[in-house]
């Protein structure tokens, strides 16, 4: 694709509304991800259910935002 063609596309895209640009960006990103893997989707869904269940049952250890930030800073050596 030529620079001229890309410039033309950018010009056309700039006339779209914010929601139209967001939808286009999502479609472009999805086109780079390759085919959808349903087993991965299911694994993530199972993990979400497992984590929510732990929180609801009181078995999860929850952190405040500041505790989380402090732990991440320590882990990153900051």
């Amino acid at each position: 694709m030529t620079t001229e063609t890309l410039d033309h596309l950018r010009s056309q895209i700039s006339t779209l509304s914010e929601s139209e640009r967001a939808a286009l960006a999502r479609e472009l990103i999805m086109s780079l991800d390759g085919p959808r893997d349903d087993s991965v989707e299911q694994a993530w869904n199972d993990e979400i259910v497992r984590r929510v269940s732990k929180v609801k049952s009181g078995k999860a250890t929850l952190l405040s935002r500041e505790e989380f930030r402090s732990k991440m800073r320590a882990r990153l050596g900051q």
Side-chain angles (χ1 to χ4, degrees):
M1 186 174 290
T2 67
T3 302
E4 185 177 303
T5 302
L6 283 173
D7 288 343
H8 178 71
L9 283 172
R10 286 185 188 103
S11 175
Q12 293 295 306
I13 290 167
S14 70
T15 66
L16 299 174
S17 69
E18 184 176 329
S19 63
E20 290 169 327
R21 290 191 318 273
L24 177 58
R26 183 175 188 277
E27 288 178 33
L28 289 171
I29 290 169
M30 287 177 62
S31 74
L32 298 173
D33 285 342
R36 182 177 167 171
D37 185 340
D38 290 333
S39 66
V40 172
E41 285 286 321
Q42 187 59 50
W44 274 113
N45 288 337
D46 293 346
E47 180 64 15
I48 291 165
V49 168
R50 186 186 71 75
R51 290 181 187 195
V52 168
S53 177
K54 281 182 76 171
V55 169
K56 285 183 176 180
S57 70
K59 293 179 182 176
T61 303
L62 304 178
L63 302 174
S64 70
R65 181 181 298 174
E66 278 310 309
E67 289 171 313
F68 174 77
R69 286 182 177 168
S70 177
K71 284 182 180 261
M72 288 301 102
R73 285 185 183 117
R75 184 179 271 182
L76 295 171
Q78 296 178 351

